[in-house]
Amino acid sequence: MNKMIPETKLTLLAKDAAKKHSLAAILVIAVVIELISFIPQLLILGPLVFLSREDLAGALEMGDTSIIRISPDMVMAVNLFVTVFTTLITILYCTKFEKRSMGSMGFRGKTPFTEYLTGLFLGAGMLLLAWGICLITGTAECTGTSGSISPVILLFFLGFLVQGMSEEVYCRGFIMQSISIRYAPIAAVLVNSLFFAALHLGNNGIAPLAFVNLMLFGIFASLYMWKRGNIWGIAAFHSAWNFAQGNLVGIRVSGSSAGPSVLSTEFMEQGTLINGGSFGIEGGLACTLVYVAGILILLKLPVRKDAGIMREDGRDQVMDVTAELSSKPPVNIEIRAV
């Protein structure tokens, strides 16, 4: 397994950190970051949740124009955007306290736009594949469009771009990479995936299979980032997967409603083992099959050339990584004959 998950440039970039913590310390720090990032989120969402309460509708009907009621869909959309605080606080910790470069978190590579676009297509495509398995097995039915396509859907798409990046920066850019500084890559992959799954233990409809699937996604995401050598692709994949799930085909995202959708999907009660039931497709065998297939493919794929630490001719690329770590411009020395 260690041969299938070798050290890469990301590993070397992470090992340049000034602060190297134990596994227990990393997990404690991860919890602290989560708690700190929750404070600004709560300050923003608290008033919005109050203004979205159904009992405010009565006050409006009685002519109280001083109250502005916000729709639950808008609250959910804002909830996606405020996850940006998790991204910012995680980056701040890694760069200022661990003294790591942005590149060590995956913000590197010569073609970020291409990587991101590829991730978007793959994320949506693999979700639709799992959805298709449910349709073919008769455990789900597409009941048509859910009505007029709301412009709010675009807001959810942008929100999921923020939310997907935040979870990848937090779990892969920080937890996985910080663990890889002192431990083998396989440990970094498994531990951060387990932590990622544990973050969803409070979600509606969580069950053993759903937990396993979440961990499988964590492993898939870790391998994707490791093999591609950057965070752009998997962040886009994560965002597109969630958006396609909630706002394209109308399935609950990890147990939570995701607002308006283009299509409407109904799950059959007798097929919950496959379709995931109340947790959504991520809690069923259809998703398990897609994740396992994705993991096996990634294990077989080679590390991207600019992500590996060996040249095609077999020479070590450590010098290239050292140059990437340095932010100082080269000093040109000119020698003139006297």
Side-chain angles (χ1 to χ4, degrees):
M1 194 70 172
N2 285 329
K3 293 182 179 179
M4 293 183 180
I5 311 177
E7 290 192 338
T8 64
K9 276 189 178 181
L10 286 176
T11 314
L12 298 182
L13 288 168
K15 288 183 176 180
D16 189 63
K19 301 290 185 179
K20 300 174 175 62
H21 301 294
S22 66
L23 178 59
I26 292 170
L27 296 180
V28 170
I29 293 169
V31 173
V32 172
I33 289 176
E34 183 76 5
L35 293 175
I36 293 175
S37 63
F38 182 70
I39 295 174
Q41 295 177 27
L42 182 63
L43 293 175
I44 294 173
L45 288 174
L48 295 182
V49 171
F50 173 79
L51 292 174
S52 68
R53 288 165 45 189
E54 292 184 3
D55 57 355
L56 289 180
L60 291 174
E61 290 175 359
M62 294 176 64
D64 189 349
T65 57
S66 64
I67 300 177
I68 301 175
R69 186 168 185 265
I70 298 176
S71 71
D73 285 347
M74 289 300 297
V75 175
M76 285 189 286
V78 173
N79 186 40
L80 297 175
F81 282 100
V82 296
T83 58
V84 69
F85 290 107
T86 301
T87 302
L88 296 176
I89 294 172
T90 303
I91 291 175
L92 180 65
Y93 166 75
C94 289
T95 56
K96 300 302 181 182
F97 291 89
E98 288 191 355
K99 304 294 184 181
R100 284 207 273 128
S101 67
M102 292 286 287
S104 73
M105 301 182 70
F107 294 101
R108 61 179 300 278
K110 298 179 180 179
T111 57
F113 179 78
T114 302
E115 287 289 307
Y116 200 87
L117 195 61
T118 301
L120 287 177
F121 280 109
L122 285 176
M126 286 182 65
L127 183 280
L128 292 177
L129 178 60
W131 180 61
I133 292 174
C134 293
L135 296 179
I136 292 172
T137 56
T139 59
E141 178 184 356
C142 179
T143 56
T145 60
S146 57
S148 58
I149 300 177
S150 170
V152 177
I153 291 179
L154 176 60
L155 190 63
F156 272 85
F157 174 70
L158 297 176
F160 272 122
L161 294 185
V162 176
Q163 183 265 345
M165 177 63 79
S166 72
E167 291 196 2
E168 292 309 313
V169 168
Y170 179 67
C171 290
R172 260 58 76 177
F174 160 47
I175 299 177
M176 181 180 77
Q177 286 295 89
S178 292
I179 292 174
S180 71
I181 294 173
R182 294 181 59 177
Y183 304 92
I186 182 62
V189 169
L190 293 178
V191 173
N192 99 83
S193 300
L194 181 61
F195 190 91
F196 171 78
L199 290 174
H200 298 78
L201 284 174
N203 291 26
N204 295 327
I206 189 71
L209 182 56
F211 186 86
V212 170
N213 280 345
L214 288 168
M215 187 167 179
L216 286 175
F217 175 78
I219 294 173
F220 173 85
S222 301
L223 293 176
Y224 192 111
M225 178 173 166
W226 219 291
K227 290 296 180 81
R228 300 305 297 174
N230 62 76
I231 201 171
W232 307 113
I234 192 54
F237 183 104
H238 196 148
S239 298
W241 173 281
N242 285 347
F243 174 75
Q245 184 177 193
N247 305 108
L248 286 186
V249 300
I251 298 173
R252 297 178 71 85
V253 180
S254 299
S256 302
S257 174
S261 62
V262 177
L263 300 175
S264 179
T265 301
E266 181 180 347
F267 282 166
M268 306 303 159
E269 291 184 7
Q270 69 273 18
T272 55
L273 184 62
I274 296 177
N275 61 39
S278 61
F279 190 77
I281 202 168
E282 292 170 332
L285 289 176
C287 208
T288 308
L289 180 62
V290 170
Y291 285 154
V292 170
I295 290 171
L296 293 177
I297 291 172
L298 283 174
L299 287 174
K300 292 293 184 181
L301 288 178
V303 176
R304 183 176 169 169
K305 289 182 179 179
D306 72 340
I309 58 176
M310 298 298 293
R311 300 180 188 274
E312 290 184 358
D313 58 7
R315 294 175 59 193
D316 200 341
Q317 284 195 13
V318 173
M319 293 301 295
D320 294 340
V321 180
T322 303
E324 186 175 337
L325 286 169
S326 176
S327 59
K328 297 180 180 180
V331 179
N332 294 322
I333 301 175
E334 184 178 355
I335 300 176
R336 295 183 177 180
V338 177

